[in-house]
Amino acid sequence: MDTPGTTGRTGLVFDAMKALDRAAARAIARHYLPSRFHYHYAKSKLGSDPLYAGVADALRGSTAPLLDLGCGLGLLAHTLRMHGVALAYRGVDSDAKKIALATLSARNAGMDGIRFDVVDLAMTMPAHQGSVALLDVLQYLPADAQQRTLDAAISMLTPGARLVIRTGLHDASTRARFTHFMDRVGRGIGWMNTSPKRYPDANALRARFAQAGLQVAIDPWYGKTPFNNWRIVATRSL
């Protein structure tokens, strides 16, 4: 896996524990123009959230194609390319407007091997074999759909592939309470098209992955944010 101080294909230096610097965030955000709102959103998100460098860190060294479940605006596709992680990528999301913006941004960036589709994960799961990303998705699924999604993602993993999850966890921390509140705000202002349903339990996740024969690491991934975010990487052995 990657380590802090890795140099991406652009020559910029990345720290896997930190958000992108201003130059890197701005370079990606410009692909969302002419929408000034989405330009500023992407620049702010990439410049404050350590998620994207953390996912690139987790996927580095794997050649398995990646399915990004709940891809939103497709920021991960851009950051993986910027970090030099050139995997075949498919992003799916239930929000058609976000998928349209993701598709436009990828076209603006001239990226090959990138595809975006509208898929409601609460209803169906796309076919895939390789690595899977579930970033800020699980808490928005009902308990039964959450379990089905995890089971489906595990079944997609090929030898050497990785399941990378970023999620809030069910605990009594101040960060957890703040995360719950902001998830509700996101729904209230219309940015998210659904509200949180259930936050996963760390011990239950460990047990599920162990049962499936996966190696798992669960690490806090707060960065400079106030959110109760954790990175979970489950790997299928070669």
Side-chain angles (χ1 to χ4, degrees), residues 66-214:
L66 176 66
L67 176 64
D68 185 3
L69 297 171
C71 64
L73 296 177
L75 291 173
L76 178 61
H78 291 273
T79 52
L80 288 176
R81 291 296 192 269
M82 181 171 279
H83 283 74
V85 182
L87 304 173
Y89 171 98
R90 182 188 182 194
V92 301
D93 198 283
S94 62
D95 191 322
K97 291 181 179 179
K98 290 181 180 178
I99 288 295
L101 285 163
T103 301
L104 176 62
S105 73
R107 187 181 305 125
N108 289 342
M111 293 192 298
D112 296 324
I114 302 293
R115 173 185 171 188
F116 294 100
D117 295 296
V118 178
V119 176
D120 185 350
L121 298 179
M123 301 298 294
T124 188
M125 185 64 59
H128 175 73
Q129 291 290 294
S131 292
V132 180
L134 270 171
L135 310 177
D136 301 328
V137 168
L138 287 182
Q139 63 264 38
Y140 292 99
L141 299 176
D144 55 346
Q146 189 177 113
Q147 191 58 53
R148 288 197 305 270
T149 299
L150 281 172
D151 289 345
I154 290 170
S155 72
M156 294 174 183
L157 298 179
T158 53
R162 295 147 198 185
L163 170 57
V164 185
I165 298 171
R166 208 273 289 269
T167 184
L169 292 176
H170 177 67
D171 58 42
S173 67
T174 299
R175 285 181 179 275
R177 290 193 294 272
F178 181 79
T179 301
H180 299 178
F181 170 74
M182 290 306 297
D183 281 339
R184 293 192 295 271
V185 169
R187 171 57 174 162
I189 65 175
W191 179 245
M192 302 301 298
N193 61 4
T194 187
S195 56
K197 303 296 192 299
R198 179 176 181 266
Y199 294 88
D201 176 80
N203 290 331
L205 288 174
R206 287 191 183 94
R208 179 67 191 87
F209 294 137
Q211 182 183 34
L214 305 178

Side-chain angles (χ1 to χ4, degrees), residues 14-21 24-25 28 41-56 75-76 79 83 135-136 139 166-167 175 191 220-231:
F14 302 100
D15 186 332
M17 293 295 292
K18 294 182 179 180
L20 299 185
D21 64 24
I28 292 174
Y41 171 81
K43 185 172 69 170
S44 174
K45 178 73 170 174
L46 294 166
S48 62
D49 194 337
L51 167 67
Y52 304 101
V55 177
L75 291 173
L76 178 61
T79 52
H83 283 74
L135 310 177
D136 301 328
Q139 63 264 38
R166 208 273 289 269
T167 184
R175 285 181 179 275
W191 179 245
W221 218 254
Y222 313 137
K224 295 181 179 179
T225 76
F227 299 104
N228 188 38
N229 289 327
W230 294 75
R231 186 185 71 168

